[in-house]
Amino acid sequence: MLSERRMIEPIAHIECDLPTKFGLPRQSGLVEELTARVVFEPLYRDPVAFRGLEGYSHLWLIWGFSENGRDSWAATVKPPRLGGNRRMGVFATRSPYRPNALGLSSVRLEAMEQDEKRGIVLRVSGADLMDGTPIYDVKPYLPFTDSRPEAVGGFAEDVFDHSLAVVFPEPLLAKIPEDKRAALLGILAQDPRPAYIDDPTRRYGFNYLCYDVRFTVAGDTLTVVEIADLSC
């Protein structure tokens, strides 16, 4: 008799500098300077499970949209990059509101670090996940089969190449730790606003590290106007 099928469960979680969804890169690899750590649950910390992983430069992370706020799914969604007013089939998008709320990200493996209490921790770059996101599996990226240069990107190609010039006054930038500035600048350049909101008088904001980053956008220029210390 077959044993009862085991339910999918997290094997790890992400630790990173973005505690909320707002501000996250829209896809993995867009902000290579943004680093994160994959911390495994106690059951999966056996060093043998990581044997050979050091030979790969990139990994696939299979993870869960743990903060999408819905239990249901819809056959069509409104992709933010299309202005939030055009519907596309859910399977033609990477919307979190799916039959199974699973995400897929390609990240660079920067290091495998041995933590005294938490075992092997993977330090990765280019992730698009918020702090605490559950990880369901880690797989090696295989360039000889996973890379498809001839692939066609559908309607996403028409809206992918969008970035902003970032004006970040030096006194405000100085509040951010030096080793975290490049990642923040990359996040801002990707335009964290909802695509259907375009109000040059509006202040937007998101949390990064222990700071509230406030900015305005006029045309193709984003200007940081305030960095508030959250003292977390």
Side-chain angles (χ1 to χ4, degrees):
M1 179 181 295
L2 293 176
S3 61
E4 183 178 353
R5 184 179 179 184
R6 187 166 65 90
M7 298 294 290
I8 186 172
E9 62 183 14
I11 64 168
H13 67 274
I14 279 282
E15 290 183 354
C16 69
D17 299 327
L18 290 164
T20 63
K21 292 186 294 182
F22 195 92
L24 287 174
R26 286 182 169 82
Q27 301 294 337
S28 59
L30 292 181
V31 183
E32 291 286 359
E33 301 85 355
L34 187 60
T35 60
R37 294 161 299 282
V38 180
V39 180
F40 289 82
E41 300 299 325
L43 181 61
Y44 305 102
R45 293 175 183 173
D46 186 343
V48 175
F50 302 88
R51 183 184 297 162
L53 192 63
E54 71 280 354
Y56 296 95
S57 65
H58 291 73
L59 305 173
W60 289 110
L61 302 181
I62 301 172
W63 49 277
F65 288 99
S66 55
E67 298 294 324
N68 66 11
R70 294 184 188 175
D71 294 326
S72 60
W73 71 284
T76 61
V77 296
K78 297 178 179 179
R81 281 301 196 198
L82 294 182
N85 53 19
R86 290 178 57 192
R87 287 196 170 274
M88 293 290 177
V90 65
F91 300 128
T93 75
R94 297 192 176 184
S95 167
Y97 307 114
R98 323 184 65 77
N100 292 301
L102 295 176
L104 179 68
S105 295
S106 173
V107 298
R108 175 182 288 275
L109 177 60
E110 299 289 350
M112 296 172 60
E113 302 170 340
Q114 182 66 45
D115 185 278
E116 183 177 348
K117 295 183 178 180
R118 304 189 296 181
I120 292 177
V121 174
L122 306 182
R123 180 161 55 87
V124 301
S125 62
D128 55 343
L129 295 81
M130 64 179 285
D131 188 56
T133 295
I135 306 296
Y136 293 107
D137 206 355
V138 175
K139 297 178 182 289
Y141 179 99
L142 303 178
F144 59 85
T145 185
D146 292 346
S147 177
R148 300 287 183 174
E150 76 281 8
V152 177
F155 68 84
E157 286 191 340
D158 298 331
V159 294
F160 177 79
D161 188 17
H162 172 75
S163 62
L164 300 175
V166 178
V167 177
F168 207 137
E170 186 60 34
L172 297 180
L173 184 61
K175 295 184 177 183
I176 305 296
E178 188 172 357
D179 63 335
K180 299 293 185 179
R181 294 174 189 173
L184 178 56
L185 288 167
I187 292 168
L188 293 169
Q190 290 296 317
D191 193 355
R193 300 173 300 163
Y196 52 86
I197 298 178
D198 186 14
D199 181 356
T201 66
R202 179 169 178 171
R203 280 194 175 195
Y204 306 88
F206 62 92
N207 292 351
Y208 179 70
L209 295 168
C210 287
Y211 303 93
D212 184 18
V213 181
R214 295 283 170 175
F215 61 92
T216 60
V217 179
D220 290 328
T221 300
L222 181 151
T223 302
V224 177
V225 295
E226 182 182 3
I227 300 290
D229 190 340
L230 299 176
S231 299
C232 55

